[in-house]
Amino acid sequence: MTVELTINGNKIRAQPGQTVLEAAAENGITIPTLCYHKDLTPVGSCRLCNVKVDGWGRDVASCTLEVQEGMVVHTETPALAEARRKVLELLLYHYHDAGYAEGDRQETEFSHWVKFYGAQLPAGVESQVRYEVDSDPNPFVWVDLNKCILCTRCVRACAEIQCRFVWGVGERGPEAKIIAGPDTTMLESRCESCGACVAYCPTGALDDKLSVGLGTADKVVTTTCPYCGVGCNFDLHVQDQRIIRVTENPEAPVNGMHLCVKGRYGYDFVHHSDRLTRPMVREYLLQGEAKERGADRGAWVEVDWDTALDITAQNLARICHESGPDAVGVLSSAKCTNEENYLVQKFARQVIGTHNIDHCARLCHSSTVAGLSMCFGSGAMTNTMADILDKAGSMLIIGSNTTEQHPVFGTFIRGAVLERDVKLVVADPRAIDITEFAVLHLQQKPGTDVALINGLMHLILREGWHDQDFIHERTEGFAVLRETLEKYPPGVVSEITGVPAQDLVRAAEILALYKPMAVIFAMGITQHTTGVLNVLSLGNLQMLLGNVGVEGGGVNPLRGQNNVQGACDVGALVNVFPGYQRVTDAHAREKLQQALALQDPEGRAIAPLFGHEPGLTVVEMIHEAKKGHVRGLYIMGENPMMTDPDVNYVRECLKAAEFIVLQEIFPSETSAYADVLLPGATWAEKSGTFTNTERRVQLVRPAVDSPGEARQDWIITASLAQKLLALRGR
């Protein structure tokens, strides 16, 4: 059923409940607005969107006026235009542009309508500076209340988009102004510096402090964020080969208008003076000298690319010839693209001939892959983020400080609690930020997660809240699980975990009755000696409740870095080929050997020499370097010095390694132990894709050129592979 009305002489149909403003916009009719934004609750305060309705005695704000059958609306008449001009002129009395940010953006919404309607102050009248410019010490948000028109879009954006409630309106009448908290600083009011208020401000009263005074961009490039696994899209504004601003892209499939402080403001490292710009090798390598094992590596010397790659290829070829391919270890990176990770694992297997290829997922979410594979045969999220946020009746967050680790998704969860009354249970020893939105916070003792989950399942079984049909039709081993759970009554679990028995009962009831329930977890439970069992227990909980294969349910690990999921998917792991085909599977090995076969000078196929057993993990590679079993390391974008809790031992291992090649964008802790240093490109300088935590594959587009002679990582790896193959006579 639709509503028929007439706008500017055109008969249109609208949905019941739509506003006149929305119906007009859907039909290509523009009505001026300032206080209105489609993402925010309309308040109808600025009156710029007023329209004339036949038979009505007064003009009405179209942003709050619902369509009615037979309604006849006029959006642009001489009287309306004059009224809008007067509204804008009244706003101009209190609007003052000090010129600090003049020209930083193409045109604000306010300045656009001022020009459109020819609004101006009377002759001889000038607006006054009433407030200090850049009045807040927030390091990212520029505040100039002289430009504020009290539209309250910042207030509503902070409350409705970010769910943080930093901004409000203080004072009354002509003294009214926007204030942070109880009229204090933004950070003291618990601002997260996400920049949502900046994004929704129509006048420039709020702006990006890093961008003020830099002017406008030459080009705008849409790309994917390089930080966490949420996978936000945004626009990079580039001027003279420098990023000067990051803005939200409303069409972004994951985040829409949402960004966090990292994504919006964490881009300046791209242009940092410490960037590596030329290949470097140790002096002893240029002089053809041998280095004693464990000796100091000596001084760095800048060289050209051919020299650096030749030295690298010669040393890797020598090690392979003398000790076999498994004497070389290869580390890829969850910060690099899918294409680069695929190429590096291909380099390890096809060119070197080893399964010694690994990356940081080994240390964060390998237990997720193992646990979920045991449950479901797949080690990834079972549901999308949007699916959880739109459909879940309750959520269990365990081992995830979501608003810090995955800020945009954490904001979405806060919104789901506030807007849909989703029942949130948080299990965490600490009172993390998201617990403020939880109906129940379970503070279990560290390391007691399995007992806690088993205790919840015991209660679910005891009360008959389990899904017997799902268990019968779609699971195995239920009798064994039931027998195990009998050992976890509330009293025992309370003693083990420190969680009061009444809270265990309440949590079990919430998670069982508010269906579907979504489990969300991260490294707070996976980086444990019991990590696999933690994940397996969560899988059992969801199967017990029948929350698998349903919208809003599932078991949902949040990946830490931007491309952990993708780096695993493309096979940068010791035990699987791309697509999780196991290296122990003879059929998979034969298929990959045929696919990766090379040709000798006579055109005959030569299959790669990789073996039938998994290679060494990242930890094992480093430890075996100290023993001399791994003599060479090729590292792309990883920092082994920071991947082991015993830094001193890692230092000894790297020092003992015979030959280390490091491909990086900055000198890192590991570079002190490298023999060759190859300058790579940042995400803003390369093409490719990232795969986010829900397995959404998204484009990464180059926005600026790499500094100096730095190259995209895939180009470096391909060039090295060609030189190494030439040396090995293939």
Side-chain angles (χ1 to χ4, degrees), residues 71-87:
M71 178 183 281
V72 178
V73 179
H74 306 276
T75 69
E76 195 72 30
T77 67
L80 285 171
E82 178 62 17
R84 287 170 183 157
R85 185 180 64 79
K86 289 181 178 179
V87 166

Side-chain angles (χ1 to χ4, degrees), residues 524-593:
I525 64 164
T526 60
Q527 293 184 338
H528 286 229
T529 55
T530 59
V532 174
L533 293 178
N534 290 342
V535 175
L536 185 62
S537 298
L538 292 174
N540 285 335
L541 171 64
Q542 289 298 68
M543 287 187 282
L544 190 69
L545 290 169
N547 283 325
V548 182
V550 299
E551 293 181 320
V555 187
N556 303 286
L558 301 180
R559 307 299 187 182
Q561 294 186 4
N562 55 301
N563 203 33
V564 169
Q565 186 66 55
C568 294
D569 291 346
V570 299
L573 295 168
V574 301
N575 60 329
V576 292
F577 295 113
Y580 301 99
Q581 303 171 88
R582 296 193 172 277
V583 301
T584 54
D585 183 337
H587 176 69
R589 284 199 312 277
E590 181 181 355
K591 180 169 60 174
L592 266 293
Q593 283 176 329

Side-chain angles (χ1 to χ4, degrees), residues 501-522:
Q502 62 268 27
D503 285 350
L504 293 171
V505 174
R506 187 178 172 211
E509 182 177 16
I510 292 169
L511 300 177
L513 299 186
Y514 289 90
K515 298 189 71 173
M517 183 270 288
V519 164
I520 299 165
F521 70 93

Side-chain angles (χ1 to χ4, degrees), residues 19 184 225 303 393 404 420 448 555 617 704:
T19 65
T184 181
C225 182
V303 296
E404 288 190 11
R420 296 201 300 109
T448 63
V555 187
T617 66
V704 295

Side-chain angles (χ1 to χ4, degrees), residues 281-433:
V281 301
R282 298 291 184 177
E283 189 175 19
Y284 82 88
L285 291 168
L286 291 174
Q287 297 174 350
E289 299 174 355
K291 177 183 69 68
E292 291 187 15
R293 189 164 181 261
D296 182 76
R297 285 173 157 81
W300 285 112
V301 179
E302 288 188 351
V303 296
D304 59 72
W305 271 104
D306 277 339
T307 300
L309 293 174
D310 284 341
I311 289 174
T312 301
Q314 290 162 8
N315 280 275
L316 292 179
R318 174 179 55 80
I319 291 171
C320 289
H321 176 73
E322 294 173 358
S323 302
D326 288 337
V328 174
V330 180
L331 299 182
S332 68
S333 173
K335 303 298 287 183
C336 291
T337 65
N338 288 316
E339 294 73 18
E340 288 163 341
N341 279 287
Y342 173 79
L343 202 61
V344 167
Q345 69 83 31
K346 185 178 178 182
F347 171 83
R349 292 179 166 118
Q350 183 185 48
V351 181
I352 301 295
T354 182
H355 291 308
N356 293 347
I357 167 68
D358 207 4
H359 70 286
C360 67
R362 176 71 46 199
L363 308 167
C364 59
H365 270 293
S366 58
S367 51
T368 291
V369 175
L372 292 186
S373 294
M374 293 169 67
C375 289
F376 312 124
S378 173
M381 285 182 72
T382 60
N383 294 64
T384 67
M385 288 181 283
D387 176 61
I388 296 166
L389 298 164
D390 293 341
K391 302 293 185 180
S394 60
M395 301 180 192
L396 169 64
I397 295 179
I398 181 169
S400 169
N401 191 348
T402 318
T403 53
E404 288 190 11
Q405 296 171 325
H406 304 87
V408 169
F409 188 52
T411 297
F412 285 148
I413 292 174
R414 294 194 298 224
V417 171
L418 293 176
E419 295 168 19
R420 296 201 300 109
D421 195 27
V422 172
K423 306 303 179 186
L424 175 63
V425 176
V426 176
D428 197 291
R430 301 183 304 155
I432 57 176
D433 181 78

